[in-house]
Amino acid sequence: MLPDKTIYVDNSATTPVSDRALSAMLPYFSESFGNPSALYGYGQEAKKAIEDSRRAVAKAIGALNTEIYFTSGGTESDNWAIHGVCELRRARGRHIVSTEIEHSGVLRPLEKMRENGYEITLLQPDKNGMISPRQLEEAIRDDTILVSIMTANNVIGTLLPIKELCAVAKRRRVLFHTDAVQAAGHIPINVRELGVDMLSMSAHKFHGPKGVGALFIKLSTKPGELISGGGQEKGFRSGTENVPGIVGMAAALTERVESLNSDMASSKAMRDRLIANTLKIPGVHLTGDPENRLPGHASFVIEGGKASAHLINMLAEEGVCASSGSACSASSKEAPHVLKALGYDSDVARGALRISLSPMNTDDEIDALNEKLPRLIERFRSRREATIR
Ligand SMILES: Cc1ncc(COP(=O)(O)O)c(C=O)c1O
């Protein structure tokens, strides 16, 4: 699939579709092409595929199948959660609590709500990207209608204490949404254990196809509709369903959950070896929480470098696909907003490197990275000095 010696370690940006997900999808492009709303055989076959997929996705996160709504991905799910709760709880209040390190799929809709007269409190994380239950407790007011805090951060890999944070929101009768786009399929997720009311997922982050995701909405929660039209997804999200995408998402998530324990162990082992070696390079620091982090996520800042795009290009010349922080800001000269929120000086934050592994990576690839990184980081730094002089 990839050119022979390419080392793909940008799995937080996206992942290749697994063979199992691809072969599950293929029939729904050809012989089973029907519109799920049609009453004849082709249509009913497509409808059944969607409902089977809904059951599979629900099972993977401990939900009921009636609590899963398919969307076009993480961004759409996040937007729906925010706009939908604002509509639902209009009469109750106009205050929302979130964090400074959310993905733009949450931050942009919050900005829009601010323009529409809502008050938004963004909690500031500590240096490791952690938000404490106490911080949330202090931020919630009588007119707070929603808390939205991500399960795992895409730039620094930190896993946030969602169960404890959610318990705070529940005590104050405030709805809780979590963006679990980086977490689903990578760590165990059970919506009942977490206690969340809404949870966003995206298939392309766990070896499913792009352009499909889901929003878990607890049965007792009824947010406003997302897209009006023909009444698909129980009238909440109209538009003919992306049948192959939905089938691919369910197959990919089922596959990930089946091998979650062994995948987590192998990703962690590779990640820790990579981190230990990279931290031997002077002036390189780990970003995010050293313990509570995604199994395959290694992220660093490099002192004495400048725009990390140079380093990413040097790695690309040697066949390594990595990134600076988030896929959305890959080509930007700006430091990722997450690193700024953690208090990193913007010069240091511009030298960010993110290596995100999947179970498809190998020990040989980690060896190759451990050989390349010290050499390339040294060149990256001397390049900067050359430019300054
Ligand atoms: C934490 C997080 N939320 C949301 C998204 C957006 O997901 P999608 O690409 O499916 O719109 C991403 C994608 O990078 C993400 O990392």
Side-chain angles (χ1 to χ4, degrees):
M1 195 191 318
L2 293 170
D4 253 1
K5 289 199 174 122
T6 299
I7 300 179
Y8 183 79
V9 284
D10 198 14
N11 290 282
S12 290
T14 196
T15 53
V17 174
S18 73
D19 292 345
R20 179 161 153 188
L22 182 62
S23 52
M25 292 169 75
L26 285 177
Y28 296 94
F29 288 107
S30 49
E31 66 262 30
S32 305
F33 66 90
N35 184 322
S37 298
L39 296 178
Y40 43 79
Y42 287 137
Q44 291 310 297
E45 207 177 330
K47 176 102 191 139
K48 180 173 180 313
I50 292 178
E51 294 317 317
D52 288 348
S53 302
R54 203 185 304 281
R55 254 188 299 282
V57 170
K59 186 168 173 229
I61 61 164
L64 299 172
N65 54 332
T66 44
E67 295 174 314
I68 300 296
Y69 295 82
F70 290 111
T71 65
S72 71
T75 303
E76 185 181 309
S77 297
D78 288 344
N79 270 259
W80 184 12
I82 291 164
H83 293 304
V85 170
C86 288
E87 200 178 317
L88 173 73
R89 296 244 158 141
R90 222 178 0 213
R92 193 168 146 183
R94 292 190 148 229
H95 179 238
I96 302 173
V97 182
S98 186
T99 80
E100 289 184 353
I101 57 169
E102 298 301 309
H103 187 267
S104 46
V106 166
L107 290 177
R108 295 278 174 271
L110 288 180
E111 270 169 31
K112 275 205 165 163
M113 295 323 295
R114 184 177 270 147
E115 286 161 20
N116 291 337
Y118 281 74
E119 275 186 76
I120 314 295
T121 300
L122 295 182
L123 302 174
Q124 195 187 352
D126 72 10
K127 189 85 183 180
N128 290 344
M130 279 293 173
I131 302 282
S132 72
R134 194 195 167 121
Q135 268 178 290
L136 179 59
E137 185 84 63
E138 285 167 6
I140 291 180
R141 315 188 312 210
D142 288 345
D143 62 342
T144 306
I145 53 168
L146 173 67
V147 172
S148 178
I149 299 182
M150 68 202 321
T151 310
N153 184 272
N154 48 314
V155 176
I156 53 169
T158 298
L159 298 174
L160 288 108
I162 295 303
K163 187 175 173 180
E164 291 74 13
L165 292 165
C166 192
V168 173
K170 294 292 98 179
R171 275 201 299 277
R172 304 286 294 273
R173 301 168 59 86
V174 175
L175 290 174
F176 195 100
H177 164 250
T178 187
D179 173 340
V181 166
Q182 291 290 337
H186 296 269
I187 58 166
I189 300 256
N190 183 303
V191 288
R192 300 282 174 248
E193 275 171 24
L194 293 174
V196 296
D197 299 293
M198 284 171 291
L199 178 144
S200 304
M201 289 179 274
S202 175
H204 75 103
K205 306 290 187 180
F206 50 75
H207 301 279
K210 292 169 186 59
V212 60
L215 182 65
F216 155 79
I217 308 177
K218 201 168 160 182
L219 215 51
S220 52
T221 310
K222 290 273 171 286
E225 72 177 5
L226 176 66
I227 303 175
S228 328
Q232 289 88 348
E233 296 298 285
K234 287 193 271 169
F236 284 105
R237 200 267 183 192
S238 288
T240 303
E241 300 89 337
N242 172 4
V243 185
I246 289 170
V247 170
M249 175 173 183
L253 189 58
T254 304
E255 187 179 12
R256 295 272 65 83
V257 169
E258 278 171 10
S259 58
L260 198 56
N261 288 339
S262 64
D263 285 353
M264 281 173 60
S266 72
S267 291
K268 263 187 198 163
M270 288 190 284
R271 176 200 73 185
D272 290 345
R273 204 153 66 79
L274 179 75
I275 290 178
N277 264 282
T278 309
L279 291 182
K280 285 183 194 154
I281 308 169
V284 175
H285 308 279
L286 186 73
T287 57
D289 197 281
E291 304 295 327
N292 299 306
R293 61 186 303 128
L294 284 167
H297 196 290
S299 53
F300 307 94
V301 282
I302 298 157
E303 279 178 37
K306 208 161 188 186
S308 48
H310 293 311
L311 178 60
I312 304 305
N313 286 336
M314 284 181 205
L315 283 161
E317 279 163 20
E318 298 213 4
V320 178
C321 307
S323 79
S324 57
S326 79
C328 313
S329 62
S331 56
S332 158
K333 291 199 178 90
E334 279 285 298
H337 73 278
V338 173
L339 295 181
K340 285 196 201 157
L342 301 186
Y344 283 96
D345 176 84
S346 40
D347 254 6
V348 174
R350 268 200 293 270
L353 172 66
R354 177 182 72 180
I355 293 178
S356 46
L357 309 172
S358 92
M360 293 181 192
N361 288 116
T362 63
D363 279 328
D364 286 350
E365 290 178 330
I366 302 301
D367 289 342
L369 284 172
N370 283 339
E371 179 276 315
K372 288 175 195 296
L373 280 174
R375 185 165 46 79
L376 292 180
I377 287 175
E378 197 184 318
R379 250 177 65 203
F380 171 52
R381 285 181 170 138
S382 54
R383 191 171 168 147
R384 187 214 176 187
E385 278 154 24
T387 343
I388 286 171
R389 265 188 236 119

